[in-house]
Amino acid sequence: MELFSDQFNGYLWQMVQGAYITLQLFAAGFTLALVLGTLIGIVTLSRNWLIQAVWKTYASIIMGVPSLLIIFLLYYGGSAMLSGLFGTDRSFDVTPFGAGVTALTIVYAAYVAELVHGAVMNLPKGQFEACSALAIGPVAAWRHVILPQLTRLALPGLVNIWMIVLKDTPLVSLAGLNDLVANAKIAAGATKEPFIFFIAASLFFIVFSALTLRLSARLEARFGRGLAEVKA
Amino acid sequence: MSALPIDFALAWDSLPQMAEGLVTTLLITVLVLVLGLPLSVLVTLARMSRSRILSWPAAAFVVFFRGAPLLILLYLVYYGFGQIEALRDGPLWVIFGSAFACAVIGLTLNHVAYMVEVVRGSLNAVPAGLVEASAALGLTPRETFTYIRLPLAMRYGLAAYQNEVVMFTKGTAVVSVITVIDLTAVANELFEETYDPFTPMLTAAAFYWCLVNAIRLGFGALENHLNRHQRREQAVKPTTPAGAAAAAAEPPAGAPVAPLRRMIGSDRRPVPVKAAAPALSTATPKEHAL
């Protein structure tokens, strides 16, 4: 197939649109997972046995089951679950995008929560003790003392999760979402040029992760100021 | 709606089919692990090599196959190689013509690229003093690598390796897209036959859960086995200082030391040792990437 012919450009444009959907899905999934995961992580620091039992079950299931299965489960069974929750008289449409965002959120919230636990363990106990000695309330303490330090401690792990979510996003195309990979597959099938389109699609992911790695290195340097050791 | 929308009769009837899918999943996992370990050590050595002819292609390999999502890699191998005329007529078509082999190739490429970072991290975690010491004792670089660095790195890298194995075992669920009938594909088929959205998926999920936790338990046992000399130290610690000193004097039974002693004893003049060698550092290296 002629490079940069009209047909080729058309498929390329379709892939660009797909990339936009992929990015939307990724951004929504990661943000929601981050927020929900942080909340879950903080709540499950409690020693209450019920909270611990629920958390252990949730974490064990999520970490033992492929995310693809959870995407399928939510996509196929999503409307039945919603009618079960909000009454059977109404019917619900589950879009692949909605199922994908929900699945990514549920799965990666568990990983983020685990990360929060690790970061809190690494935080010196004195930080909590100093807060209570200074009579800083729990909300203010978390907001102004603990969370800012957790951000620094959790950043490397968070970058890791960012990469994994990015590489899990294309799985939602298997539930019928017209994202970058789905469009690349259509283009490859129609033009019989699988190498061009699939390598273009993977370059998108590689370039995107390379850019964010640079950004995260800068962030790490910024959060670490005042703490970083001089390199010999 | 009942609390648990699972059709247990259907789940029970689907067990034989699920078990077949599980066998495929297991076969792919084991094949990729067996192929991936030696390959990843080779690529790591190339990556760490001082020669650019070796290290640059290895670095490019890692960047590409680590950065590209597994789904695209599988498409690339399965649909891409089928387009090459020379390959289709050649003898290698036996391999590239089968979806199963394509799945193994795609997964292995991805797995090796991830493993390079794991192996590199654990080789670098071996304290420099040990390498210097073995050079001072007259071991060649190759002997240092096989008897000192590799055994220690294996112990250091085990946690990261377990992480990677678990992640990639879950990743094998994707192979159903290139027509391999694995556990996920069986669940999907059953869904299309019965339109029961929960039972097949949840049954498959239970199988995956058992598989992943069996892997976790296996790694736990392996870790215990590789760290058994440390466990003995811990057991001795609470006793009197004299007991602890006696424990330190007795040769540690760890894997890395035994071959070295054998070697020194057999074909090398024993080196006079003044003080008892300090116990190998048992500090765990810093956490590796997930």
Side-chain angles (χ1 to χ4, degrees), chain B residues 3 46 49 64 74 86 120 175 182 197 218 222 227 243-244 249 263-264:
Chain B
S49 152
F64 185 81
L74 287 177
R120 198 158 72 114
V175 299
D182 74 330
L222 187 62
N227 289 333
M263 235 163 45
I264 291 172

Side-chain angles (χ1 to χ4, degrees), chain A residues 26 30 155-156 159 162-163 207-223:
Chain A
F26 167 69
F30 184 79
L155 194 65
V159 172
W162 171 284
M163 293 294 159
V207 168
F208 186 74
S209 50
L211 287 179
T212 51
L213 270 185
R214 290 196 109 176
L215 185 73
S216 81
R218 273 209 196 155
L219 271 180
E220 243 165 89
R222 181 167 171 77
F223 284 135

Side-chain angles (χ1 to χ4, degrees), chain A residues 128-198:
Chain A
F128 291 96
E129 286 162 7
C131 282
S132 51
L134 292 169
I136 301 175
V139 175
W142 273 93
R143 161 89 182 73
H144 296 290
V145 181
I146 310 295
L147 273 181
Q149 300 189 68
L150 286 191
T151 322
R152 176 174 56 83
L153 288 170
L155 194 65
L158 216 53
V159 172
N160 238 329
I161 294 179
W162 171 284
M163 293 294 159
I164 298 173
V165 177
L166 181 66
K167 270 168 251 165
D168 257 10
T169 312
L171 293 184
V172 184
S173 73
L174 300 179
L177 184 70
N178 253 333
D179 71 343
L180 174 63
V181 179
N183 284 329
K185 197 186 168 204
I186 293 170
T191 60
K192 308 265 186 235
E193 292 285 0
F195 281 108
I196 295 176
F197 291 105
F198 286 135

Side-chain angles (χ1 to χ4, degrees), chain B residues 77-133:
Chain B
V77 173
Y78 186 64
Y79 294 114
F81 285 128
Q83 289 292 320
I84 304 174
E85 290 284 334
L87 200 65
R88 211 158 28 182
D89 301 328
L92 280 175
W93 187 239
V94 184
I95 297 174
F96 290 105
S98 112
F100 183 84
C102 283
V104 172
I105 293 170
L107 280 166
T108 307
L109 290 173
N110 192 246
H111 176 61
V112 167
Y114 273 95
M115 280 298 291
V116 168
E117 296 299 306
V118 173
V119 177
R120 198 158 72 114
S122 23
L123 281 176
N124 282 338
V126 176
L130 282 169
V131 179
E132 283 164 15

Side-chain angles (χ1 to χ4, degrees), chain B residues 157-216:
Chain B
L158 200 64
Y161 186 50
Q162 172 186 350
N163 248 331
E164 164 56 18
V165 171
V166 166
M167 288 304 275
F168 123 83
T169 306
K170 289 194 278 177
T172 59
V174 188
V175 299
S176 55
V177 299
I178 56 168
T179 70
V180 177
I181 312 289
D182 74 330
L183 202 46
T184 312
V186 170
N188 248 330
E189 257 172 37
L190 282 173
F191 165 70
E192 272 154 25
E193 281 169 22
T194 59
Y195 277 99
D196 179 340
F198 297 109
T199 312
M201 287 298 155
L202 289 175
T203 319
F207 272 89
Y208 274 113
W209 189 85
C210 294
L211 177 61
V212 165
N213 280 285
I215 292 174
R216 286 225 171 93

Side-chain angles (χ1 to χ4, degrees), chain B residues 271-277:
Chain B
V271 184
V273 180
K274 272 182 197 156

Side-chain angles (χ1 to χ4, degrees), chain B residues 3 10 15 32 102 146 208 237 263 266:
Chain B
L10 176 62
L15 281 187
V32 173
C102 283
T146 41
Y208 274 113
K237 231 168 236 167
M263 235 163 45
S266 62

